[in-house]
Amino acid sequence: MTADRRPVEATAAPTVLLVDDDADALVELEEILELEDVVSTTASDCDAAFYALDTWPDIRVVVTDVHLVRPDGQVENGVELVSAARARFSDRHLAFIVLSGDADAVSSSIETGAVDFLTKPLLPENLVSAVHAAKSKLRTELDSGHEDIEAVLKRKVEETTRSLQRVTSDLAERERQLSQSKEAYQRQRVHGGKLRHALRAGQIVPWFQPQICVRSGRLLGFEALARWQDPNGTVHSPADFLDLAAEIGLMKELDGSLQAQTFDAIAAFHRSGLQDCQVGINLTAEQLADQSCIDTLCLQIESAGLDMPAVSIEVLESAMLDDAAADPIKANLERVARLGLGIELDDFGTGHAGLSSLRDLDVTRIKIDRSFVQNVHVDGKLQKFTRALIGLAKALDVEVLAEGVESEDEFAWLMQHGCDAIQGFWVARPMPADQALAWALNHKAKSEEVICTNSHMPAPLHILAR
């Protein structure tokens, strides 16, 4: 919109000149300033701007876009307008504010004497703030009788540099997030497809790690652990695929498959002469809070021909930390206990919910975390903690199993201080179902042989040393 070349009647003379070739933008800018009781006039090109400055001597602030397109198609530069106007109206105190969506225009506009630079798209509050700041600066210059252009330019360069650094940082962060999103999508598309195929091809299977009685050496049962057996011979641990399964919505199908395979394997163990063998399965907080998950679990146990006491649910202590979120978990675990399944508090001692869980739940066993077992035979401070954990469980008539036992010395200390059961590499590593059955039958035979001897060695040492 071109400024009218005839003076416009108004209740007050304009103090701000808005220069932009976009008529709609000019209307918006005028309305913004009008709300602040700032009178403005407009121009769409350099000629109209000079006419407005000649017509309205009270104009003190010029706000100009950098890219100005005349009606005849000729392109004008708002920065050049600043330079020309400063020269033409050198006897007037004028402040220039430059608008642009191009950050490269900053340096050139500052060099010409603009006192502010605003990036587009323009926020209303930024325009208002810049206009008021420009007027305040002009009043200060008039009062002081001089214009410290060098100081203004230095300050503006510093401010603009900081602004551009923030913009650059924001852009870098957006690029990083976009890259991560692309990588996650690619990972889900490629590796997610492989995981789906592996699950449906029967490559995701339970492995079994034995748990033995500290006193007698008798096999008590196993913990079931997920493994991905790649046809090329690579075996992947849960850390390699469980997060991906959750991302692509495969957890329910994966858990259902693993549980069915686990219960079928334990039923086969029972039929092979290991009738007292139990199994512990790991459930996430989300699963424990889902009543349908517990329903499905019980149906799978019954379908495999197992009694409920043959299965224990391992609950991470951290799953019980949030009282509000833990309420449905506690309700489901109370139901689990009534049905006869065992409840094991896993990684005991690493969270902050152990005591309340022991108080509120019908826990059948606590599993002391590996961090309280490693080198316990030589670490005096660690011994105090581990003895306290064992003592607490004993006081509540709860069985104690130590995880991650990797040496005879660790075993000996745990046996001496009342631990009931152990699992770890010193006993055996996790194994596929067929190997676990063979190991268990061999271990049972050794256990029966030990009963017939007069060995003074603790039963587990005597059995595992053979």
Side-chain angles (χ1 to χ4, degrees):
M1 177 174 68
T2 304
D4 191 335
R5 296 187 181 274
R6 294 170 300 168
V8 178
E9 294 183 4
T11 56
T15 60
V16 176
L17 171 62
L18 303 170
V19 186
D20 199 321
D21 59 4
D22 186 336
D24 292 335
L26 286 173
V27 171
E28 291 180 5
L29 296 179
E30 278 192 295
E31 290 176 348
I32 291 169
L33 294 179
E34 185 179 353
L35 291 174
E36 296 293 319
D37 294 327
V38 175
V39 180
S40 62
T41 188
T42 63
S44 62
D45 54 39
C46 293
D47 287 345
F50 287 130
Y51 179 80
L53 288 169
D54 285 330
T55 303
W56 302 106
D58 289 332
I59 291 176
R60 288 291 176 261
V61 180
V62 179
V63 182
T64 179
D65 192 8
V66 167
H67 190 74
L68 301 170
V69 181
R70 295 169 56 95
D72 59 6
Q74 182 180 348
V75 178
E76 296 179 326
N77 191 325
V79 175
E80 295 176 359
L81 169 63
V82 173
S83 180
R86 282 181 59 81
R88 180 169 170 176
F89 299 97
S90 59
D91 59 336
R92 285 168 62 176
H93 281 268
L94 292 173
F96 296 88
I97 300 171
V98 175
L99 307 178
S100 177
D102 182 7
D104 292 336
V106 175
S107 58
S108 59
S109 63
I110 291 175
E111 289 169 2
T112 61
V115 299
D116 212 338
F117 180 91
L118 301 177
T119 57
K120 299 173 72 174
L122 181 65
L123 295 177
E125 56 267 29
N126 289 350
L127 174 63
V128 171
S129 176
V131 168
H132 285 316
K135 287 188 172 184
S136 176
K137 173 185 174 301
L138 289 172
R139 284 194 296 271
T140 301
E141 292 170 359
L142 289 171
D143 291 342
S144 61
H146 71 281
E147 182 178 9
D148 190 354
I149 296 297
E150 184 177 349
V152 171
L153 292 180
K154 181 179 179 182
R155 173 183 59 79
K156 190 56 191 176
V157 168
E158 292 173 350
E159 291 175 354
T160 305
T161 300
R162 287 194 295 270
S163 177
L164 289 177
Q165 287 174 341
R166 287 194 297 271
V167 170
T168 301
S169 177
D170 290 344
L171 288 175
E173 176 62 19
R174 289 174 189 170
E175 284 290 333
R176 186 187 68 79
Q177 292 176 355
L178 180 60
S179 176
Q180 286 182 339
S181 297
K182 289 180 178 178
E183 290 174 2
Y185 170 76
Q186 186 69 5
R187 185 169 72 94
Q188 290 180 10
R189 189 178 68 84
V190 176
H191 297 290
K194 291 181 180 178
L195 181 59
R196 283 192 180 89
H197 172 76
L199 176 59
R200 286 150 197 180
Q203 297 170 17
I204 312 293
V205 298
W207 280 27
F208 300 87
Q209 186 169 28
Q211 301 167 333
I212 65 170
C213 174
V214 167
R215 297 294 173 184
S216 68
R218 179 175 61 87
L219 174 68
L220 300 175
F222 298 89
E223 178 180 2
L225 302 162
R227 294 292 186 272
W228 177 354
Q229 297 181 160
D230 198 290
N232 65 12
T234 303
V235 177
H236 301 277
S237 72
D240 294 334
F241 60 88
L242 285 189
D243 286 345
L244 177 59
E247 289 175 15
I248 63 177
L250 202 61
M251 280 299 297
K252 194 166 187 177
E253 183 179 349
L254 187 148
D255 286 326
S257 173
L258 284 171
Q259 289 165 10
Q261 293 180 72
T262 296
F263 301 146
D264 286 343
I266 296 300
F269 291 3
H270 286 189
R271 292 192 296 270
S272 299
L274 303 171
Q275 291 86 352
D276 296 331
C277 175
Q278 297 178 314
V279 66
I281 63 170
N282 295 278
L283 296 183
T284 64
E286 290 77 14
Q287 290 173 295
L288 290 169
D290 184 357
Q291 183 173 334
S292 65
C293 175
I294 304 301
D295 293 337
T296 300
L297 179 69
C298 293
L299 287 174
Q300 288 177 320
I301 294 172
E302 293 175 352
S303 297
L306 294 174
D307 294 329
M308 295 294 173
V311 178
S312 289
I313 293 177
E314 298 195 10
V315 183
L316 283 174
E317 187 178 347
S318 58
M320 310 300 292
L321 291 181
D322 187 335
D323 289 340
D327 287 342
I329 296 176
K330 291 179 180 179
N332 277 333
L333 288 176
E334 288 173 0
R335 180 183 170 216
V336 161
R338 291 195 299 271
L339 291 170
L341 284 79
I343 298 175
E344 302 186 9
L345 205 55
D346 201 6
D347 292 347
F348 189 76
T350 59
H352 305 282
L355 292 178
S356 61
S357 297
L358 286 174
R359 179 196 65 201
D360 299 337
L361 303 175
D362 189 8
V363 175
T364 52
R365 176 194 278 175
I366 66 165
K367 300 184 73 174
I368 298 179
D369 184 70
R370 168 66 181 153
S371 61
F372 293 97
V373 173
Q374 187 176 20
N375 295 323
V376 68
H377 58 289
V378 294
D379 189 328
K381 185 175 182 180
L382 194 59
Q383 290 172 2
K384 293 179 181 179
F385 281 102
T386 307
R387 274 199 302 264
L389 294 176
I390 294 173
L392 174 62
K394 291 294 183 180
L396 298 172
D397 295 324
V398 176
E399 184 181 343
V400 181
L401 180 145
E403 296 183 284
V405 178
E406 295 186 0
S407 73
E408 180 180 324
D409 290 331
E410 291 171 354
F411 159 74
W413 189 94
L414 291 165
M415 180 183 68
Q416 180 182 354
H417 291 87
C419 187
D420 300 303
I422 59 170
Q423 76 178 78
F425 290 174
W426 185 69
V427 177
R429 293 175 178 269
M431 299 168 277
D434 56 345
Q435 295 180 27
L437 176 58
W439 184 95
L441 292 173
N442 183 52
H443 184 84
K444 180 181 179 183
K446 288 181 179 180
S447 300
E448 292 171 349
E449 183 181 341
V450 167
I451 294 175
C452 301
T453 68
N454 294 318
S455 172
H456 297 292
M457 188 184 301
L461 284 177
H462 186 67
I463 297 168
L464 296 170
R466 292 169 64 87

